[in-house]
Amino acid sequence: MTMEELMKNAATYLDQKDLDLIEEAYHFADNAHQGQVRRSGEKYIMHPIEVAGILVDLKMDATTIAAGFLHDVVEDTPITLADIRAKFGDNVTLLVDGVTKLRHFEYTSKEDQQAENHRKMFVAMARDLRCVIVKLADRLHNMRTLKYMSPEKQIQKANETLEIFAPLANRLGISAIKWELEDISLRYLKPQQYYKIVNLMKQKRDEREAYIAQVVDELREYVKSVHIPAEVSGRPKHIYSIYRKMVNQHKQFNEIYDLFAVRIIVKSIKDCYAILGIIHTHWKPMPGRFKDYIAMPKANMYQSLHTTVIGPKGDPLEVQIRTEEMHDVAEYGIAAHWAYKEGKTKNLNNKFEDKLTWFREILEYQNETSDAKEFMESLKMDLFSDTVFVFTPKGDVIELPVGSVPIDFAYRIHTEIGNKTVGARVNGKMVPLDYRLKTGDIVEVMTSSHSYGPSRDWLKIAQSSAVKNKIRQWFKRQQRQENVAKGREMIEKELRSQDISLKNTLTEENIASTCKSYNFSHENELFAAVGYDGIPVKQVVSRLIQENKVQKEPEPAKTHSEVKQPVPQHAKRTALGVRVKGVDNLLVRLARCCNPVPGDPIIGFVTRGRGITIHREDCPNISSEDQHRLMEVEWENSESKSKAYNVDIEVTAYDRNGLLNEVLQCVSDAHTAINAVSGRADKNKVAMIHMTIAITNIAHLHRVVDKIKRIPDVYSVRRVMQ
């Protein structure tokens, strides 16, 4: 493409002020790249011109096109970002900076380095999505000129393109770039298969083109008969899509009939469905081959009706029906967000914002993990995986990755709904939380305000990394203090097992140094991470030993002054393990309605003639009108194991043989006494098991609940009040 052709194309949708900006960026880049040549031998400026030309074809705005001219200036010339900002302002500089940050992006056999480079690219996208559109245009032209690279480099670049950039273009809906990236990559990765398909397509091209012309003519007559304005055209399938069909379906080339598709573009949505009816009237549709992407758009906002019918010669024929606006989005995807088309993209803004929630979620997750490989695996799962479409009970469509379970659905609706989920119904029937959702399922989530929150097992069955991140966040928030104490205890225990001095190891300096290596700002963050299994305890101890050169030595015996002396208590102790502040000689008993246990927030309620009754603070039997009868109380020691307290719990599960035995055995294995048990099952095969168990404190209760949650087919475990 020449500069004259580029400006002529840009003038079809940009005004003179925008054209002036583009031309100014061209001259600036041309001067900056003077004397530089590409491997092909042509002047370097031809590459920025081609990149900008691709952006013009996508109908991008002038700012993005200017960035296309300037994207290599900071990287390959003495020009700085400050120079560009002074000349072109902040917006252009932001895009150039975003792409320039990728200058060390190289495909390498070192997996860690590759993953880290990939992550840098997606972080750059967070600043402005136009950065990645410039990068895609840059990659497309580089792939077009890949023949000038060494064979090894060709394989590396093609692999990287097929693994990252083509799926990214697909997710952003830019099919105009996606298909070409895939075809070029296949040419270098599988040259035999590529040229075999090309030659086979050439052999009977005249015959196929005559057939498709016949189909198009017939369709135009059918459409004309009902007076619906429409544009009908034939479209050959792309080479990579044919290759994938041959591989996935184990077919030979002569077994693939739908090498061409027919596309019909109309004015309105109602015309789409009218045309569909006409086609199905004249040609028989193939069962299971109709897809309505208008009612249920793809993640990249692609909308169209797809149907496969038995054509005039008895062969399968794919027909796509869409409106003009849908066609623009199908070709340009998110690039249509910036297109200068009067009245056509105003309604796209909010739609694109809604559809880009996946992108914001994956970037939130990258802030939570320091492992680049883990981030890339999550990215591939969320960004590049296939999807299923399920419905809420109200009929709203929710898009999820293939393999998603009700937990993924619940968290997609709202984080708090996910945290309180205790079960799910799919198509009106109870299902376990690891049930794999299918397109068309109607999903209803069951929640409870008394739910103990997510189970750690959910991390194994949830499909979306964003959902897994939300579950981890819940454990961090809800059990922070417990995790801090648990983590410190685990580290101390591991150090003792290695005969390493706690006094010499766990100093402020050593802990601060270890925190810095894990990017934690406070020691409690480190201990909490160990407590909720975010970091292996052996890894932290190894870091303490390695970085701080701690030598193994027996821990010295404590002196008399180091032994913790008992703190005198000024409040009244009771046989129930409760202190009543400021009052002696009162009768104290535990409320039967809420059964408080050590670790629960509690309050004392003065009763007439029966002393003080101890309730949980959230007990519904304590009303705001009784404030004058409440007293401050506290547990003597929530970690005490000397006394057992009754707690009522309810287990909801799928009714099956052996369920009750497994639940009872699980509780018994947790060294917990069962004082009462009863159960029932309803017509939907949902079992409800009520148990009264004897526990020593709230941590003991949490351990029992977590064990029961791990039993297959258990939906939820909750604490109940009488």
Side-chain angles (χ1 to χ4, degrees), residues 452-499:
Y452 274 92
S455 166
R456 293 191 185 276
D457 288 343
W458 290 9
L459 292 169
K460 300 175 184 177
I461 62 177
Q463 186 73 8
S464 167
S465 62
V467 169
K468 292 179 181 180
N469 186 42
K470 290 177 180 178
I471 296 171
R472 292 189 186 99
Q473 289 298 315
W474 186 90
F475 282 112
K476 289 181 183 179
R477 290 194 307 269
Q478 299 297 323
Q479 301 178 6
R480 178 172 175 79
Q481 293 304 318
E482 181 181 333
N483 286 328
V484 169
K486 181 181 177 183
R488 178 182 281 274
E489 181 182 342
M490 290 169 65
I491 291 174
E492 291 178 353
K493 183 178 178 180
E494 181 65 23
L495 287 169
R496 290 193 189 97
S497 71
Q498 298 187 37
D499 295 329

Side-chain angles (χ1 to χ4, degrees), residues 653-691:
Y654 174 72
D655 185 27
R656 58 171 172 79
N657 291 335
L659 173 68
L660 181 58
N661 286 338
E662 288 188 36
V663 173
L664 296 179
Q665 185 62 47
C666 176
V667 177
S668 177
D669 290 345
H671 306 292
T672 304
I674 302 174
N675 295 331
V677 62
S678 62
R680 59 183 175 83
D682 62 19
K683 62 181 180 180
N684 292 321
K685 301 284 287 181
V686 177
M688 308 284 286
I689 303 173
H690 295 266
M691 292 192 296

Side-chain angles (χ1 to χ4, degrees), residues 26 29-30 33 36 42-50 69:
Y26 160 71
D30 189 23
H33 289 295
Q36 294 181 347
E42 64 182 2
K43 291 182 178 180
Y44 194 94
I45 190 60
M46 294 307 300
H47 172 62
I49 290 176
E50 292 289 346
F69 278 116

Side-chain angles (χ1 to χ4, degrees), residues 508-659:
E508 289 186 11
E509 294 78 11
N510 290 350
I511 293 175
S513 176
T514 304
C515 286
K516 185 177 180 181
S517 67
Y518 285 102
N519 294 319
F520 291 130
S521 59
H522 192 274
E523 65 180 50
N524 283 350
E525 294 182 13
L526 175 67
F527 295 142
V530 174
Y532 66 74
D533 297 328
I535 304 176
V537 63
K538 290 183 181 293
Q539 187 181 109
V540 173
V541 170
S542 176
R543 187 66 61 89
L544 283 166
I545 297 172
Q546 180 180 355
E547 290 192 2
N548 302 296
K549 297 181 173 59
V550 177
Q551 300 298 321
K552 291 188 177 183
E553 60 181 59
E555 186 174 4
K558 292 183 178 179
T559 64
H560 177 73
S561 62
E562 290 177 309
V563 177
K564 187 176 181 180
Q565 300 298 322
V567 178
Q569 302 293 336
H570 299 290
K572 177 66 178 176
R573 294 188 179 189
T574 70
L576 296 174
V578 177
R579 299 193 191 103
V580 182
K581 294 187 177 181
V583 180
D584 292 343
N585 302 321
L586 274 181
L587 177 65
V588 175
R589 66 187 185 89
L590 300 179
R592 295 292 301 276
C593 55
C594 57
N595 285 331
V597 299
D600 282 331
I602 53 176
I603 194 73
F605 183 80
V606 179
T607 59
R608 294 183 176 86
R610 293 194 295 175
I612 297 178
T613 303
I614 308 301
H615 290 264
R616 282 162 51 186
E617 286 186 352
D618 62 349
C619 180
N621 292 327
I622 301 294
S623 68
S624 58
E625 298 176 358
D626 297 322
Q627 294 298 316
H628 64 286
R629 300 174 66 180
L630 301 181
M631 297 192 65
E632 282 192 62
V633 294
E634 62 183 14
W635 297 105
E636 291 179 9
N637 186 355
S638 62
E639 301 298 323
S640 173
K641 298 183 180 180
S642 60
K643 182 174 176 56
Y645 299 80
N646 284 340
V647 172
D648 296 315
I649 62 173
E650 178 185 84
V651 181
T652 306
Y654 174 72
D655 185 27
R656 58 171 172 79
N657 291 335
L659 173 68

Side-chain angles (χ1 to χ4, degrees), residues 392-410:
T392 68
K394 293 182 178 180
D396 295 328
V397 180
I398 303 296
E399 181 188 4
L400 298 167
V402 167
S404 291
V405 298
I407 294 169
D408 295 287
F409 174 88

Side-chain angles (χ1 to χ4, degrees), residues 245-260:
K245 183 168 287 190
M246 292 171 65
V247 171
N248 294 338
Q249 300 180 13
H250 306 289
K251 289 184 176 182
Q252 295 298 316
F253 182 84
N254 57 9
E255 296 177 289
I256 299 176
Y257 296 100
D258 53 341
L259 296 176
F260 282 83

